[in-house]
Amino acid sequence: MRLYKMELYKLCHRKLFIIGALCAVGILVLFFCIKVSDEMAYVEGITYKGYQAVQVNRRITEEFKGVLTDEKVEKIVEKYGFPQVVEERHYGFSDTNFLNYFVMEYFSDGYFYGWDDYKVASRVYPIEDTELGAAKKLTGRELILEYNNGWFVFLDVLVMGLMLGSVLVLFSVSITFSGECRSKMLQLLFTTKEGRKKDIYIKIATAFTVTGMIWAVVVILDLLLCGAVFGFDGLDCVVGATKIMLLWVRDGSPSMLSVGHFTTISLLRGFVGMMLLCAVVLFISACFKSSFYVITVSSVYFAAPYLIMALAVSTGAGSFFMRVLLSIIRILQYMSPLFMIMPSSVIDVYRIWQALCSISAMTCAPCIIAAYRKYKRRQV
């Protein structure tokens, strides 16, 4: 236990780690504030923005909270009308709030694609005649109306937090093995009774502990911020009736997956993605004696899935071989740490997310074993 504490202290008390952690928290809070400032609510001729808008939208939604019915939809339109004011260079209607925007988007003939491409709603459709109604009939699940913008912000901030956390993992875990060569500690460790074996186990355990702590801090901080401002309502809403689906899925097809279920999957995939990143960085750290090379190679690995996919798409998929290759690349892409921490990728691979997540988790084992053997056989 004393050796474990020493290794934990070594990783967490480096100036680079402390400064990086403080910067990451600051950026995360700033990003959250920016997301809050995007909220808008137009009620009784008054336009609210930012934190005030969030509170107003939460308050007006309480009246209609619960199972969504055609009567509630009609009452919302009767009380708040349809959004119709558009300002040049401004995205979205400027006289909207959470309720009338919700009705316009999913249960009316109105739409907004741009400040020069929109249509003011003129009528509402019965729920059963909409895509959400068809999905409701197919699944047998009720449509729940609650204020749910907070969970979209939570997932958006989560992406930013896990990206920053991954960078922190790259810089902190990279010295796990390579740092011993640089500090000339390798000779001393391998001359002790349990130097080779016990020390390697402790180093691996410490690296995963730090990675788990980073993930937990990001999630807890994100949850506290969103809970304090937006509240925790909306977990029973379906993803297809939230900004999660509207902004992240181009075809707009609804999903009856609950926001709570979707968020849980996103958190689990993010955790596995960061653990996989830690395992790979450990292996790379055992292969090089210089931390600079470890960080460089690890960064290339982290960004490679996106870069390779962008290159593959730019070359086109005319031949059968290229189509097969692109399919393989896309599958590998969604198993990489970079895409595992992105909640938006859940919708793309929902049918197979469990298999991909399991494979990514199991990949950690051979990386750890390879790192252990590589470092153990390193010649002094």
Side-chain angles (χ1 to χ4, degrees), residues 278-325:
C278 176
V280 173
V281 174
L282 279 174
F283 171 70
I284 298 173
S285 180
C287 294
F288 296 94
K289 296 182 179 181
S290 170
S291 298
F292 174 78
Y293 292 133
V294 176
I295 294 174
T296 302
V297 175
S298 299
S299 300
V300 171
Y301 160 75
F302 183 67
Y306 180 81
L307 298 176
I308 293 175
M309 190 62 194
L311 180 62
V313 171
S314 64
T315 58
S319 65
F320 174 78
F321 174 77
M322 284 301 301
R323 288 196 296 270
V324 173
L325 181 61

Side-chain angles (χ1 to χ4, degrees), residues 57 59-65 76-77 79-81 96-105 145:
N57 280 329
R59 174 174 55 82
I60 65 176
T61 307
E62 285 295 320
E63 180 184 350
F64 302 95
K65 186 177 179 180
I76 290 173
V77 175
K79 188 169 185 178
Y80 298 106
T96 182
N97 57 52
F98 176 77
L99 290 176
N100 63 8
Y101 179 83
F102 173 77
V103 172
M104 181 208 73
E105 183 64 36
L145 175 60

